[in-house]
Amino acid sequence: MIPAARPEIGDEERAAVDRVMRSGMLAQGPEVAAFEAEFAEIVDGRESVAVNSGTSALHMAFLAGGVGAGDEVIVPSFSFAATANAVALAGAKPVFVDIEPSHFSIDPAAVEAAITRRTKAVMPVHLYGHPADMVALAEIADKHGLQLYEDAAQAHAASVNGMPVGAWGLAASFSFYPTKNMTSGEGGMITTGSSELARAARVLRNQGMERRYANEVVGFNTRMTDIHAAIGREQLKKLAGWTARRQANAAYFDQHLEGVIVPPVAEGAVHVYHQYTIRVVGHDRDRFAEELAKRGVGSGVYYPTPIHRLPSFAEKADLPVTEEAAGQVLSLPVYPSLTDAERDAVVEAVNAVAGAGA
């Protein structure tokens, strides 16, 4: 079976872990500081604050930016639950709006229509590695005096008009979960152009203190360990090459897949293909996936249930584009270690199942 996702871990990462273990400096030490400085280079030099997960990055960014009780944050419902969970954990209310149909990103027109006097912020998700329409969203945020956050969990090194994701809004949050485009084993990163927000995030991640035992606020323990940071540093060195391979795999699929809708790329956008997500139209999507599995090809559905319909939120919302996407999307293997033979096997399986009318 060709898996839907495959973590990329090499000897360099193993050696980095060994180096840290031998150093005896395991928590929030020099490796974390070095990882933050190196990651800043791919987000236009913005300050970077490492934490223990992508969800923590979202949560700490909101708290550091002053989002809280009584505020509304406009988000897409077509995303992983953490997008909205972080809003709720900050004490604010997620307001779910629809996506545009081509790139699965939040619809700027829907954002503007949802703004109320309580709206504090907007947070697009760069879903599957394709950046949201940041030009339009930045204009809307500026027009209405709103904070702009980015959920960049899946979009390391993606960009819009030459500007990297993570450098557009007040703050952005990245994930280093094992199957992301790069990993630290587990972890996250906040990036921001605000020194005040960066300092607040550092205080919040460390029990509310910058200096030991000088607690300023009620904080959390969301620090990244040096072990995780050392893995992340090695992965960061490989990110450009891995991204190029993902893009090459995607281009091959674009040229050879038949009977499905392949993912378009917006003008000015650099897609980094965390997922290569097709639309299955005219077929039962779940049966389509089952037939692929019979042919040895794994796939994934991200995401079968929009966040607003999850029991944790259970909100009524009219989001037809979101609902349609949730019933059609199917993500195929696109990771860097996918071999040419596996890539051909994916094409053969998809074309056979599409042609058979699954």
Side-chain angles (χ1 to χ4, degrees), residues 112-132:
E112 190 145 32
I115 294 171
T116 73
R117 62 182 180 83
R118 292 183 178 274
T119 305
K120 174 88 169 187
V122 179
M123 185 170 72
V125 178
H126 305 305
L127 199 65
Y128 307 138
H130 189 291

Side-chain angles (χ1 to χ4, degrees), residues 77-89:
S77 184
F78 194 57
S79 180
F80 183 54
T83 299
N85 286 349
V87 177
L89 288 169

Side-chain angles (χ1 to χ4, degrees), residues 149-332:
Y149 293 83
E150 300 173 69
D151 183 338
Q154 303 179 357
H156 316 69
S159 63
V160 181
N161 296 342
M163 182 179 289
V165 304
W168 284 84
L170 173 63
S173 301
F174 292 82
S175 170
F176 304 126
Y177 184 74
T179 56
K180 292 297 193 290
N181 289 32
M182 60 169 288
T183 185
S184 60
E186 181 68 282
M189 191 76 76
I190 302 163
T191 64
T192 181
S194 165
S195 58
E196 293 82 5
L197 190 146
R199 182 185 184 278
R202 290 190 178 100
V203 168
L204 286 166
R205 75 177 174 183
N206 191 35
Q207 301 286 9
M209 59 185 180
E210 187 171 39
R211 292 184 297 105
R212 196 174 189 186
Y213 305 133
N215 303 72
E216 303 172 31
V217 297
V218 176
F220 302 81
N221 178 2
T222 58
R223 299 184 299 264
M224 177 180 282
T225 71
D226 262 32
I227 295 171
H228 290 92
I231 295 171
R233 293 183 68 195
E234 295 301 325
Q235 293 261 308
L236 188 57
K237 296 173 185 176
K238 303 175 182 179
L239 180 61
W242 284 342
T243 300
R245 179 62 182 177
R246 286 178 180 273
Q247 291 166 336
N249 288 339
Y252 188 84
F253 290 150
D254 288 348
Q255 294 170 4
H256 293 92
L257 291 180
E258 301 171 354
V260 296
I261 299 175
V262 300
V265 179
E267 184 177 355
V270 172
H271 196 332
V272 295
Y273 296 99
H274 170 60
Q275 302 287 351
Y276 184 88
T277 302
I278 61 174
R279 281 184 183 264
V280 176
V281 180
H283 306 274
D284 182 295
R285 189 269 315 283
D286 294 338
R287 185 181 167 201
F288 197 101
E290 291 170 1
E291 291 298 321
L292 288 181
K294 291 178 183 177
R295 290 165 169 80
V297 174
S299 60
V301 178
Y302 310 104
Y303 298 90
T305 306
I307 303 174
H308 74 279
R309 289 203 284 107
L310 293 172
S312 47
F313 290 97
E315 293 194 12
K316 293 182 179 180
D318 182 22
L319 308 177
V321 184
T322 293
E323 297 288 358
E324 182 178 61
Q328 294 178 345
V329 293
L330 188 65
S331 296
L332 305 175

